[in-house]
Amino acid sequence: MMSVASNTASTPYSYNSYAKYVYGYIASLIAFILTVIVFYYVLTGRGERIDFGWFLMETSPYMWASIGVGLAVSLSVVGAALGIYTTGVSIIGGGVKAPRIKTKNLISVIFCEAVAIYGLIIAIVLTGQIVIYTPELADSDYTVKSRNWFSGYAMFGAGIITGVVNLVCGICVGQVGSGAALSDAADPTLFVKVLIIEIFGSAIGLFGLIVSVLVISKAKMGDKA
């Protein structure tokens, strides 16, 4: 019993437990700061300033569209990088014992790179739809204002959809590609079977691209309808 206790006491904290502690501390700090701000406005009689509707109406649609473009590219690239990192390590490690897998398993890296290309395509489409409008006309004509604001929100949503889906898709393809490399190193007959799973995983990013195109299909910025 004492040996178990001593081993437990001498065991250092793992990386996962330390990361959970740090993330929990950051989340608690953010929640505390937000709570203090809310109570400050409420107790000083200025609670009406906490208005999310005002925030959405006063912020420029260009900001939302630009954030959508940035998220589409950045999250997609991060997903592709994580996928290439995961599958690349397995290809290099497995290639030490089985050099034949290095060339054949590069298709997993190509699938991961396609995830970044999906995000780049949506970013190009969104950038092409950002058109200058006249603020004075938008203030006087509610139709023009609502159309431009809707376009900004739609582009923001399309960017989030593309970015998040491609982030998860990149991780998925990387994990499956890693398994494909290691299984191919152990048994060459398993490569094609695992590759089919990887193809279906890569198709998830294509679904996100299609949904994003549907979301921005009615978005149109500018003064003219």
Side-chain angles (χ1 to χ4, degrees):
M1 184 70 180
M2 293 183 62
S3 62
V4 174
S6 62
N7 291 334
T8 305
S10 61
T11 302
Y13 287 106
S14 64
Y15 175 79
N16 292 332
S17 62
Y18 179 75
K20 291 179 181 179
Y21 172 77
V22 173
Y23 293 152
Y25 175 79
I26 294 175
S28 301
L29 180 62
I30 294 175
F32 174 75
I33 294 174
L34 292 177
T35 303
V36 170
I37 293 174
V38 169
F39 273 106
Y40 170 76
Y41 278 105
V42 171
L43 296 178
T44 55
R46 293 181 289 180
E48 69 276 0
R49 294 190 179 184
I50 307 175
D51 190 350
F52 294 102
W54 172 86
F55 173 75
L56 294 175
M57 290 299 297
E58 292 299 322
T59 51
S60 172
Y62 295 137
M63 183 195 75
W64 295 108
S66 300
I67 293 176
V69 173
L71 289 176
V73 176
S74 59
L75 293 179
S76 299
V77 171
V78 170
L82 290 174
I84 294 175
Y85 166 76
T86 304
T87 189
V89 169
S90 298
I91 293 174
I92 296 173
V96 174
K97 293 295 184 180
R100 57 179 174 78
I101 73 169
K102 293 181 180 179
T103 303
K104 185 166 55 174
N105 282 272
L106 287 178
I107 189 172
S108 299
V109 178
I110 296 174
F111 282 143
C112 294
E113 193 67 28
V115 173
I117 295 175
Y118 293 155
L120 184 61
I121 292 173
I122 289 297
I124 293 173
V125 173
L126 294 179
T127 304
Q129 290 194 345
I130 299 178
V131 181
I132 298 176
Y133 70 94
T134 305
E136 293 78 10
L137 180 60
D139 293 335
S140 60
D141 191 344
Y142 182 77
T143 303
V144 175
K145 183 175 183 178
S146 62
R147 185 177 66 251
N148 283 278
W149 260 251
F150 166 77
S151 300
Y153 298 146
M155 294 179 189
F156 175 72
I160 289 182
I161 292 172
T162 303
V164 173
V165 170
N166 287 332
L167 175 63
V168 178
C169 178
I171 297 175
C172 170
V173 174
Q175 294 287 345
V176 178
S178 175
L182 297 178
S183 62
D184 185 26
D187 185 359
T189 61
L190 295 176
F191 176 75
V192 177
K193 298 177 182 179
V194 181
L195 183 63
I196 296 175
I197 303 175
E198 191 173 2
I199 292 173
F200 282 107
S202 179
I204 296 175
L206 188 60
F207 295 154
L209 186 146
I210 295 173
V211 172
S212 298
V213 171
L214 293 176
V215 169
I216 61 175
S217 60
K218 298 293 183 65
K220 187 175 181 181
M221 301 183 72
D223 295 335
K224 299 180 180 180

